Amino acid sequence: MTQPKSDAQILCKNVWKVFGPRPEQVRQLDAGLTKDEILAQTGHVVAVKDVSFEVQKGEIFVVMGLSGSGKSTLVRCISRLIEPTDGHVWVDGDDILAMSRKQLRALRRHKMSMVFQHFGLFPHRKIIDNVAYGLEVQGIKKAERHARAREVLELVGLAGWENHYPGELSGGMQQRVGIARALAVDPEIMLFDEPFSALDPLIRREMQDELLALQKMMHKTIIFITHDFLEAVKLGDRIAIMKDGQVVQIGTPAQVVMNPATDYVREFTKDVPRSRVITAQNVMQPPPVVASPTDAAEAVAQKLARFECVAACVQDEQGHFLGLLPREHLADPPQYNGDDLQSLLVDDCPTITPDTLLVELIRLTMNSDAPLPVINKQNRLAGVVDRSMVMAALATPAEAADSEEKPTLQ
């Protein structure tokens, strides 16, 4: 089957994994049957049920669910460590389910690496040889693979540990070795199967921070499996939540927290610190009054009065933000020359970006009635955030509109 039109690096469509002697008969059952009902009727276990999603290049895509939800089986289907019962998985347009064993080995050796919960290190090999193992399998000469191993050990903070053995390292250090081993072959795609769940909480947080720092430098495409929703929120650009083999919701952390699709998802979101998930992108609104420098002062003042606004956002013809125009500056404008509002602007007013977290917005809006202009990477005005929007997001987050539903300025 040809991949549907998509620019995703990984595309999964209608993936099933059924364990049992006649998995094909499960597809003929009522789609509304639960996992337990199917097991009772057929003796088959539905581990992954009709899962579809796509992962963009350079994205951290987190698959989250409780034990038995099918998340680990799913990630193994993507790499074909487990053969899917049905469906398709495309990687860069190639259907991996149609690959020969030789093609699949090449994929795993050069394009895709996996990091497991249990580190899987060779206890009789030194750290440098553990890290270089994938390069050894590729046939790379010892001097070259050791040089690469030293590079990635330095990246993960283990320079100087090359000649030690795994048993001499702590659990967190051993997991760093596992990540270094995966990075050594310079894969485009990394699959993490609950890599930090066996670590102490403090070490786990450090490893999460380490992974995010590495991702900023290396921009890998990552699928990360976890049962911890706080970990999912911290790491994921997007999150897929699984229950009984099915994906019940996919979205950004803010979308999932603000708009849980089911009671199951809502239970996960209850203890999430919303102020560290929701961003300006999720709460901003179009500014009620937008002006250009050549607008008449009287007309701008009338608009501000009509909308009961304390300031107008001023932008040029290309949409670039120039500054705020407070209402009081129009009441008594001694510097106004009659045909240009530029001299009345507060051009050093604080601005924010769409990814500014709510915890920072609380601080910025606490002592100011003026709106905070939200400026995108092109220095264009994307919207505004004021104190009322921040309070609404904190008070009624489930009713806050999704970022995709927010009108924005072009």
Side-chain angles (χ1 to χ4, degrees):
M1 180 178 176
T2 304
Q3 176 180 330
K5 187 176 182 180
S6 172
D7 58 358
Q9 185 164 30
I10 301 172
L11 176 60
C12 295
K13 189 167 182 64
N14 308 121
V15 174
W16 287 72
K17 180 57 187 178
V18 180
F19 292 99
R22 295 185 58 197
E24 66 279 356
Q25 74 178 20
V26 173
R27 297 292 307 274
Q28 301 168 7
L29 297 176
D30 181 357
L33 293 177
T34 67
K35 185 176 180 178
D36 289 341
E37 289 169 339
I38 292 173
L39 177 61
Q41 288 188 24
T42 69
H44 289 72
V45 175
V46 178
V48 176
K49 184 179 180 182
D50 201 23
V51 169
S52 298
F53 63 85
E54 53 185 54
V55 183
Q56 303 300 319
K57 188 176 180 65
E59 179 180 22
I60 299 182
F61 185 83
V62 175
V63 181
M64 185 266 164
L66 300 179
S67 296
S69 62
K71 57 189 185 298
S72 290
T73 303
L74 175 62
V75 78
R76 283 165 169 76
C77 286
I78 292 171
S79 61
R80 266 185 71 186
L81 290 176
I82 291 177
E83 290 288 340
T85 301
D86 201 359
H88 297 274
V89 179
W90 290 275
V91 175
D92 288 329
D94 297 322
D95 189 347
I96 70 163
L97 303 189
M99 287 183 176
S100 66
R101 291 188 178 278
K102 181 179 180 181
Q103 290 171 319
L104 195 56
R105 282 196 299 270
L107 176 77
R108 293 171 181 164
R109 288 178 179 178
H110 300 283
K111 182 171 284 192
M112 185 183 289
S113 287
M114 194 159 185
V115 180
F116 298 93
Q117 174 183 350
H118 301 291
F119 321 126
L121 304 180
F122 299 115
H124 61 288
R125 286 185 167 220
K126 293 180 179 180
I127 297 305
I128 193 166
D129 292 311
N130 268 281
V131 173
Y133 178 71
L135 298 172
E136 183 180 344
V137 170
Q138 291 181 11
I140 305 298
K141 292 182 178 180
K142 185 174 182 178
E144 184 178 345
R145 66 178 186 257
H146 276 195
R148 173 61 180 164
R150 288 189 179 92
E151 288 178 9
V152 293
L153 282 169
E154 185 170 356
L155 275 177
V156 300
L158 289 178
W161 290 88
E162 296 88 345
N163 294 315
H164 289 261
Y165 289 90
E168 301 176 83
L169 277 61
S170 68
M173 294 171 75
Q174 289 186 47
Q175 192 56 281
R176 288 172 187 263
V177 176
I179 295 173
R181 181 175 57 188
L183 287 172
V185 297
D186 195 23
E188 296 179 30
I189 298 166
M190 299 185 72
L191 309 177
F192 288 80
D193 187 11
E194 300 205 56
F196 308 146
S197 61
L199 304 177
D200 293 336
L202 180 59
I203 303 301
R204 184 171 186 164
R205 287 195 296 271
E206 290 177 356
M207 293 302 300
Q208 292 165 358
D209 293 337
E210 186 78 24
L211 178 59
L212 290 172
L214 286 170
Q215 177 66 353
K216 282 185 178 181
M217 290 188 292
M218 309 192 77
H219 308 291
K220 302 295 183 182
T221 301
I222 294 174
I223 297 180
F224 190 100
I225 307 298
T226 183
H227 65 268
D228 185 329
F229 190 66
L230 291 177
E231 183 169 71
V233 165
K234 180 175 181 177
L235 296 180
D237 295 313
R238 288 187 302 141
I239 303 170
I241 299 179
M242 293 189 71
K243 181 179 186 291
D244 294 336
Q246 293 180 285
V247 171
V248 296
Q249 185 169 1
I250 297 177
T252 66
Q255 288 168 350
V256 173
V257 168
M258 294 175 71
N259 298 289
T262 67
D263 289 340
Y264 178 76
V265 177
R266 190 170 290 108
E267 280 298 307
F268 287 120
T269 67
K270 286 195 306 185
D271 297 325
V272 174
R274 299 176 187 274
S275 65
R276 298 189 179 277
V277 176
I278 298 171
T279 66
Q281 176 78 27
N282 306 116
V283 301
M284 69 183 185
Q285 295 182 8
V289 180
V290 179
S292 71
T294 56
D295 286 347
E298 184 178 353
V300 177
Q302 289 174 352
K303 285 184 181 180
L304 289 171
R306 186 186 319 139
F307 290 101
E308 298 181 348
C309 294
V310 299
C313 293
V314 180
Q315 61 184 18
D316 62 19
E317 293 180 356
Q318 290 74 41
H320 299 135
F321 179 70
L322 299 177
L324 281 180
L325 177 55
R327 186 165 56 187
E328 61 266 24
H329 285 201
L330 293 169
D332 183 21
Q335 297 176 314
Y336 180 52
N337 60 18
D339 59 7
D340 194 334
L341 299 175
Q342 190 85 32
S343 60
L344 302 179
L345 300 184
V346 178
D347 53 10
D348 60 348
C349 64
T351 62
I352 56 177
T353 61
D355 59 358
T356 302
L357 287 171
L358 191 61
V359 65
E360 180 67 8
L361 299 179
I362 294 170
R363 184 186 68 79
L364 291 170
T365 59
M366 186 178 299
N367 299 312
S368 174
D369 294 327
L372 289 171
V374 183
I375 308 302
N376 64 20
K377 292 179 180 179
Q378 291 74 41
N379 194 35
R380 295 178 185 276
L381 183 63
V384 294
V385 173
D386 63 23
R387 189 187 306 150
S388 65
M389 298 172 201
V390 172
M391 293 301 103
L394 287 171
T396 57
E399 299 173 3
D402 196 335
S403 63
E404 293 183 355
E405 298 170 350
K406 293 286 186 187
T408 57
L409 297 177
Q410 300 297 321

